[in-house]
Amino acid sequence: MTRKANGLSLVELLIVILVLAVAAAVGYPRYMEQVQKSRRNDAQGVLLALANEIEQHRAVQPNVGYSGFAIDDFSEIWSSINASYLFSVTLSSVTPFFYVLTAAPTGPQTGDRGGVLVLNDSGEKAAARANCW
């Protein structure tokens, strides 16, 4: 009488491990790309929210330009993504209603293909590569 073995042999176990390793090697870079894309979308939302706040400030005080506007007053807008992007606002003292908002990737977002995201007072958007806005 022959006895049938139950369970996996060492070869079968190695094949399963190999298949999982190949799946992880293919899937992990795609996963990280999607995570970076999600953070980039969050940064774009922050830039648009800041532009909205600047325009509201301009509407309330149309005669003074952007004097009195401080980006730090709106830090709660970007607090959730602050580890991935550094946000800055450039306000012009020469042209009363000119501004440039930038989001520079930092930390885990450093390798993002979108690079620095820019939004200005005309609504023009720019990034290091096309299709990143």
Side-chain angles (χ1 to χ4, degrees), residues 46-100:
V46 168
L47 290 177
L48 293 171
L50 283 172
N52 186 35
E53 293 294 337
I54 291 173
E55 293 299 333
Q56 285 180 8
H57 180 82
R58 175 182 173 183
V60 171
Q61 300 179 5
N63 298 329
V64 297
Y66 297 125
S67 65
F69 181 84
I71 188 173
D72 292 335
D73 294 343
F74 304 99
S75 61
E76 72 277 356
I77 292 175
W78 69 77
S79 63
S80 64
I81 193 167
N82 202 25
S84 301
Y85 281 92
L86 294 175
F87 296 95
S88 64
V89 176
T90 304
L91 303 173
S92 174
S93 59
V94 178
T95 308
F97 298 110
F98 175 79
Y99 63 85
V100 176

Side-chain angles (χ1 to χ4, degrees), residues 33 36-37 40 109-115 127-132:
E33 184 179 325
Q36 286 186 334
K37 183 178 178 183
R40 185 180 336 121
Q109 199 68 9
T110 303
D112 183 36
R113 65 185 181 95
R129 287 183 66 183
N131 299 326
C132 285

